[in-house]
């Protein structure tokens, strides 16, 4: 390998090249890699060591060029985000919390990993994989370092360095797996953008709401009768010509728009009393039971009649524990957020500040009856209601839990009052 890589003492570039060449770095407990100090535990490691072209070690606590909230992110957090690139957001957050606990316990090296929000983590993984050469969160190299990086990329593309041949199968056809040699070439290329990357970065943009608005506007335009215009010589057109519907086909009136379903967000925290596994029977039947850890459900639907909103038709509520698949208009349908008082829950929200969030939606904290709510919840003010259920006693199977119904009715009462105050009754009518 050329000395141009080693001339740039940058951990991000070394990590990106090791991923492209399928030569992962090694976690070690000292600056010198050996069989005795190598480890797989990120809570015990102090260095990240790259073996090629020559051994190079970096402190995991060193800051990198990746910036989050105007602060550089340390190498440990970067490598942890790469290790968890294929897991869902709740699992990533839970793993980060567990690693921070291990770092702070006896035997851990100390420090904390930073929990990157969804957009930052996606941008980092895309850059490390070589799918993009630019990142809005990575500070570019300056001066001579940038020239050296460009020269190294040219060497990769021209074949001066690298050169791992792709493996062929028995029939002589090359398999679908991209060889490390091609990965090196791809890492030196400048990716060309398409219309999606130009308009909205690397995520495909959803313009379905624009199409719906255009259809409504064009439908009104076509339905207007065209009057005679003698001066311009335009004759009167029939309504069938104006609407574009042949006289032989019946015209079906357009159905009214479907009422949007309100959304309730739950807390993904393992300490929450209400999770996806037990929230539906609690809100429907009014009886509390502890959540089960084996639930794989990620979306639920509950119907509830709210007389002040619609006295005839029950409203269908959508319950989720993550906004990972939210479209922009979904945030306008959010009516309540269940919280345990942990602020990391809001990092991937549109409004990550609890004060701003609960100024726009209703906050609900459900704890044990007789216990004070967390100090953070009390500090968020009147935007969060605090309720308590009787503690669960094993072996009683829900007997004597008649007061759970009072808590459920209080939740629905606050949700109904909040929705009526925000104009949901007018929209539903």
């Amino acid at each position: 390998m050329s000395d141009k890589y080693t001339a740039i003492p940058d951990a991000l570039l070394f990590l990106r090249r090791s991923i492209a060449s399928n030569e992962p770095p090694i976690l070690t407990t000292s600056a010198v890699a050996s069989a005795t100090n190598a480890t797989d535990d990120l809570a015990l490691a102090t260095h990240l060591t790259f073996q090629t072209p020559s051994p190079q070690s970096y402190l995991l606590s060193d800051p990198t060029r990746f910036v989050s909230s105007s602060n550089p992110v340390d190498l440990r957090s970067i490598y942890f985000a790469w290790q968890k690139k294929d897991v869902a957001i709740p699992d990533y957050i839970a793993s980060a919390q567990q690693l921070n606990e291990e770092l702070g316990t006896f035997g851990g090296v100390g420090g904390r990993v930073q929990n990157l929000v969804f957009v930052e983590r996606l941008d980092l993984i895309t850059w490390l994989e070589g799918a993009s050469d630019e990142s809005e969160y990575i500070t570019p190299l300056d001066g001579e370092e940038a020239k050296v990086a460009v020269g190294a990329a040219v060497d990769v593309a021209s074949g001066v360095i690298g050169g791992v041949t792709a493996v062929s199968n028995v029939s002589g056809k090359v398999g679908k797996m991209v060889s490390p040699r091609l990965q090196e070439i791809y890492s030196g290329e400048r990716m060309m953008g398409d219309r999606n990357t130009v308009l909205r970065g690397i995520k495909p943009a959803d313009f379905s709401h624009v199409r719906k608005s255009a259809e409504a506007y064009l439908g009104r335009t076509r339905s207007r009768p065209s009057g005679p215009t003698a001066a311009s010589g335009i004759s009167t057109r029939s309504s069938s010509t104006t609407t574009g519907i042949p006289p032989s086909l019946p015209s079906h009136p357009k159905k009214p728009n479907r009422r949007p379903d309100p959304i309730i967000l739950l807390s993904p925290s393992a300490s929450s009393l209400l999770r996806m596994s037990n929230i539906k029977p609690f809100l429907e039947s009014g009886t509390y039971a502890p959540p089960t850890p084996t639930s794989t459900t990620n979306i639920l639907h509950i119907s509830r009649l709210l007389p002040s909103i619609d006295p005839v038709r029950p409203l269908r509520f959508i319950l989720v524990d993550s906004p990972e698949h939210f479209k922009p208009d979904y945030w306008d349908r959010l009516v309540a957020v269940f919280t345990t008082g942990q602020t990391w829950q809001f990092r991937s929200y549109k409004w990550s500040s609890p004060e701003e969030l609960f100024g726009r939606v209703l906050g609900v904290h459900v704890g044990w009856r007789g216990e004070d709510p967390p100090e953070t919840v009390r500090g968020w003010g009147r935007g969060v209601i605090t309720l308590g259920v009787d503690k669960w006693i094993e072996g009683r199977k829900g007997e004597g839990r008649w007061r759970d119904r009072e808590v459920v009715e209080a939740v629905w009462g606050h949700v109904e009052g909040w929705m009526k105050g925000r104009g949901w009754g007018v929209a539903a009518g």
Side-chain angles (χ1 to χ4, degrees), residues 18 26 49 97 131 169 173 187 235 238 250 257 267 277 286 297 328 361:
S18 69
I26 302 173
T49 302
Q97 189 175 11
N169 55 23
K173 297 180 179 180
S187 65
S235 60
S238 64
N257 292 332
S267 171
S277 59
T297 305
V361 300

Side-chain angles (χ1 to χ4, degrees), residues 41-43 76 80 94-104 113:
D41 194 343
L42 197 55
R76 191 188 307 273
F80 175 75
S95 299
Q97 189 175 11
Q98 180 181 356
L99 178 57
N100 284 331
E101 293 175 356
E102 294 174 356
L103 287 169
V113 293

Side-chain angles (χ1 to χ4, degrees), residues 2-3 35 123 172 242 258 261 280 282 349:
S2 172
D3 291 337
D123 188 89
T242 305
R258 184 172 176 271
D261 297 331
K280 187 171 183 177
F282 178 71
Y349 286 18

Side-chain angles (χ1 to χ4, degrees), residues 266 274-283 300 302 319:
L266 304 180
L274 296 173
R275 302 286 301 278
M276 295 295 290
S277 59
N278 67 340
I279 185 65
K280 187 171 183 177
F282 178 71
L283 292 180
L300 295 171
I302 293 180
L319 281 71

